[in-house]
């Protein structure tokens, strides 16, 4: 998969630099072409000769007249199809976020149209610092890929998030980048997933059995189809997919507010509501734990806002996709929802059948739009998600 790929590896000055020769060797084994650019600080940690030996090419150092003569920085910026900054220090991330071009590597990053991926490595407190997180958010908004660092013990003796990923983990992420297809390139997709929780008191809530698996798989499939993806999710046990902007919410109201905020701030092309949103919430959430001093207890519930129907009412509005989880007469209820909520497409699944639907790793979906339908037969949710994204992309491109 990496055969012939042109990867420019930019090294900045962090102790994790010692892992990079191994990464270069493994990338070369997989057929990638590697050129290395090192900042002055990177050369304090590891020598250019080491990187030259493993990459098989001269290493580019900060505006060195000799190498600049052979191939200049603009040529390097054009040559690469991926620029990977590893390790990326907090300082270099700040430079990237604010457009500085005061050395060879930052100049190349400004002069390229290639995808830039950043693999940060730093002390856990520096990683957590608000300014670092703000800078990373700026990069995400500009569609940089962030290879999130790992948690664990650090060279400085502390423990926490900020360790450079291992070579094989970095390679896996690079492979995801190269396998990405482009049907949704340049499009922004907003997805809701998981179950919401409606508090009765400080310790109890009403929720449902949705695991979020289908929504997370759809978010990943949309990202791999080239879209910028925002995933708004209720609490789940899942890890959000890589390269997806992730917002965690609690209740239906919070999910509604988060969705509306994103729709105001960004041009969203496609909205996919996979969340199992509570339809009702307790009229009151008690401040103190409710005591069991009654034999029968009545809880009054009120309707929550229907997020999907409200998104479909907007003008202009995105292409709107809903989900229907039914226990019977799937087609009838799905079609009536398509109509009532003014959706462009609805994906329906029958719940209550073993090994599909809620909390399962597999699913079966029936997909309906105004003048057609298709069944996606029993398969892993990741596979179903890919097929569904293809259908959504095609319908979106035909009708919008
Ligand atoms: O009407 P019903 O809840 O069956 O519709 C399911 C679809 O509506 C799903 O796509 C779900 O995400 C969405 N929904 C919503 N807000 C609600 C209830 C459901 O977005 N309050």
């Amino acid at each position: 998969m990496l055969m012939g790929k042109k990867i420019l590896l930019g090294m900045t000055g962090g102790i994790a630099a010692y892992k990079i020769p191994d990464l270069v060797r493994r990338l070369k084994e997989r057929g990638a072409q590697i050129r290395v650019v090192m900042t002055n600080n990177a050369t304090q940690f590891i020598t250019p000769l080491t990187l030259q030996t493993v990459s098989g090419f001269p290493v580019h150092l900060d505006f060195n007249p000799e190498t600049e003569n052979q191939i200049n920085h603009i040529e390097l910026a054009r040559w690469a199809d991926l620029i990977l900054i590893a390790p990326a220090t907090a300082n270099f991330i700040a430079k990237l976020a604010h457009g500085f071009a005061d050395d060879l590597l930052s100049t190349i990053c400004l002069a390229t149209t290639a995808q830039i991926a950043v693999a940060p490595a730093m002390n856990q407190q520096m990683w957590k610092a608000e300014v670092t997180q703000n800078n990373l958010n700026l990069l995400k908004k500009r569609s940089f890929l962030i290879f999130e660092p790992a948690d664990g013990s650090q060279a400085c003796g502390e423990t926490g998030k900020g360790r450079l990923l291992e070579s094989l983990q970095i390679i896996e992420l690079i492979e995801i980048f190269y396998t990405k297809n482009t049907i949704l390139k340049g499009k922004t997709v907003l997805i809701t997933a998981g179950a919401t929780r409606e508090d009765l008191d400080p310790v109890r809530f009403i929720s449902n059995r949705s695991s979020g698996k289908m929504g997370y798989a759809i978010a990943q499939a949309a990202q791999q189809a080239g879209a910028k993806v925002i995933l708004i999710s209720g609490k789940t046990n899942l890890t959000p997919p890589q390269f997806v902007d992730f917002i965690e919410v609690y209740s239906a109201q919070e999910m509604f507010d988060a969705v509306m905020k994103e729709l105001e701030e960004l041009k969203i092309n496609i909205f996919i509501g996979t969340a199992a949103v509570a339809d009702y919430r307790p009229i009151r959430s008690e401040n103190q734990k409710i005591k069991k001093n009654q034999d029968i207890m009545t809880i009054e519930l009120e309707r929550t806002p229907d997020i999907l129907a409200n998104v479909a009412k907007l003008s202009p509005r995105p292409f709107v996709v809903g989900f229907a989880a039914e226990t019977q007469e799937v087609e009838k209820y799905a079609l009536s929802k398509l109509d009532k909520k003014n959706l462009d497409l609805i994906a329906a699944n029958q719940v209550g059948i073993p090994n599909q639907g809620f909390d399962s790793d597999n699913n079966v979906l029936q997909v309906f739009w105004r003048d057609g339908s298709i069944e996606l037969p029993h398969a892993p949710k990741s596979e179903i998600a890919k097929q569904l994204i293809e259908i959504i992309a095609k319908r979106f491109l035909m009708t919008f």
Side-chain angles (χ1 to χ4, degrees):
M1 187 186 298
L2 295 183
M3 188 58 75
K5 301 296 185 221
K6 296 174 178 163
I7 302 175
L8 190 138
L9 188 88
M11 292 178 62
T12 69
I15 181 59
Y18 80 87
K19 295 183 179 175
I20 302 304
D22 174 62
L23 173 66
V24 172
R25 194 178 55 79
R26 289 174 191 269
L27 285 167
K28 287 225 1 155
E29 275 170 11
R30 287 162 175 76
Q33 302 180 48
I34 310 291
R35 302 289 183 276
V36 180
V37 177
M38 293 174 84
T39 63
N40 281 337
N41 286 338
T43 64
Q44 305 284 324
F45 289 92
I46 192 154
T47 70
L49 185 59
T50 310
L51 273 306
Q52 176 174 316
T53 311
V54 284
S55 71
F57 283 89
V59 169
H60 299 269
L61 301 171
D62 206 8
F63 289 118
N64 176 337
E66 242 169 63
T67 46
E68 186 69 12
N69 207 6
Q70 291 150 10
I71 170 169
N72 73 32
H73 64 278
I74 299 292
E75 279 175 66
L76 272 174
R78 286 198 197 119
W79 172 83
D81 39 42
L82 174 70
I83 296 183
L84 169 66
I85 313 292
T89 57
N91 180 58
F92 197 78
I93 289 169
K95 282 187 7 180
L96 281 179
H98 298 284
F100 284 86
D102 60 355
D103 61 9
L104 179 61
L105 186 56
S106 52
T107 308
I108 290 172
C109 289
L110 209 53
T112 194
T113 54
Q115 174 70 58
I116 303 180
V118 173
M122 65 192 72
N123 163 272
Q124 52 91 21
Q125 201 54 52
M126 292 170 79
W127 169 258
K128 272 196 264 177
E130 195 179 342
V131 65
T132 304
Q133 290 303 315
N134 287 345
N135 287 336
L136 286 162
N137 282 335
L138 286 175
L139 295 184
K140 281 186 200 162
K141 280 205 180 106
R142 298 212 302 271
S143 298
F144 281 54
L145 301 177
I146 311 296
F147 292 179
E148 294 260 335
D151 237 307
S153 64
Q154 300 200 304
C156 54
E158 292 178 17
T159 304
K161 194 162 173 179
R163 287 165 56 96
L164 184 71
L165 294 179
E166 299 304 324
S167 299
L168 289 178
Q169 292 172 307
I170 293 180
I171 288 171
E172 207 182 308
L173 296 175
I174 293 175
E175 285 177 345
I176 292 179
F177 162 70
Y178 280 114
T179 48
K180 197 155 127 171
N181 71 34
T182 52
I183 30 170
L184 288 179
K185 190 163 187 225
K187 306 290 178 240
T188 304
V189 181
L190 179 61
I191 299 171
T192 63
T196 58
R197 293 180 177 182
E198 309 303 327
D199 280 348
L200 283 160
D201 68 15
V203 292
R204 305 181 181 97
F205 56 78
I206 299 177
S207 192
N208 59 68
R209 290 180 50 204
S210 168
S211 62
K213 284 180 187 165
M214 195 65 232
Y216 280 49
I218 290 171
Q220 177 156 22
Q223 196 279 330
Q224 288 189 358
K228 172 179 167 57
V229 177
I230 303 147
L231 175 63
I232 299 182
S233 169
K235 286 193 180 298
T236 68
N237 293 324
L238 307 173
T239 310
Q242 282 283 346
F243 314 138
V244 160
D245 281 354
F246 181 73
I247 301 168
E248 190 181 79
V249 292
Y250 190 83
S251 61
Q253 188 63 46
E254 269 187 27
M255 187 174 274
F256 178 85
D257 294 342
V259 165
M260 291 305 158
K261 183 162 174 273
E262 293 304 313
L263 282 160
E264 255 167 46
E265 285 178 4
L266 286 175
K267 175 159 175 40
I268 304 291
N269 303 100
I270 300 173
F271 175 79
I272 310 176
T274 70
V277 186
D279 292 322
Y280 290 90
R281 64 181 163 220
I283 287 186
R284 282 180 314 278
S285 163
E286 303 299 339
N287 290 331
Q288 307 296 334
K289 189 176 169 195
I290 303 168
K291 294 289 169 206
K292 45 178 175 300
N293 44 19
Q294 296 160 280
D295 284 345
I296 292 180
M297 169 171 172
T298 309
I299 300 166
E300 270 193 297
L301 303 174
E302 64 183 358
R303 284 299 304 266
T304 55
D306 189 317
I307 303 169
L308 189 63
N310 276 289
V311 174
K313 273 188 210 146
L314 297 172
S315 169
R317 72 170 181 72
F319 184 89
V320 181
V321 180
F323 263 72
E326 305 292 348
T327 50
Q328 55 177 338
E329 297 194 86
V330 174
E331 178 164 354
K332 186 176 130 195
Y333 287 123
L335 286 173
S336 112
K337 237 168 249 182
L338 183 76
D339 194 45
K340 267 201 211 129
K341 298 200 191 195
N342 190 27
L343 309 178
D344 297 295
L345 190 135
I346 191 157
N349 52 14
Q350 183 149 7
V351 289
I353 298 179
N355 201 19
Q356 71 183 58
F358 273 164
D359 206 26
S360 166
D361 290 325
N362 303 306
N363 211 357
V364 177
L365 283 183
Q366 275 178 279
V367 185
F368 303 91
W369 54 96
R370 297 240 173 265
D371 47 8
S373 76
I374 192 167
E375 176 163 332
L376 305 180
H378 196 269
K381 282 184 174 169
S382 55
E383 194 42 48
I384 296 265
K386 269 192 216 152
Q387 296 170 11
L388 182 64
I389 282 295
E390 263 177 44
I391 297 168
I392 292 173
K394 280 187 198 141
R395 299 296 312 158
F396 165 71
L397 294 170
M398 279 166 77
T399 50
F400 265 59

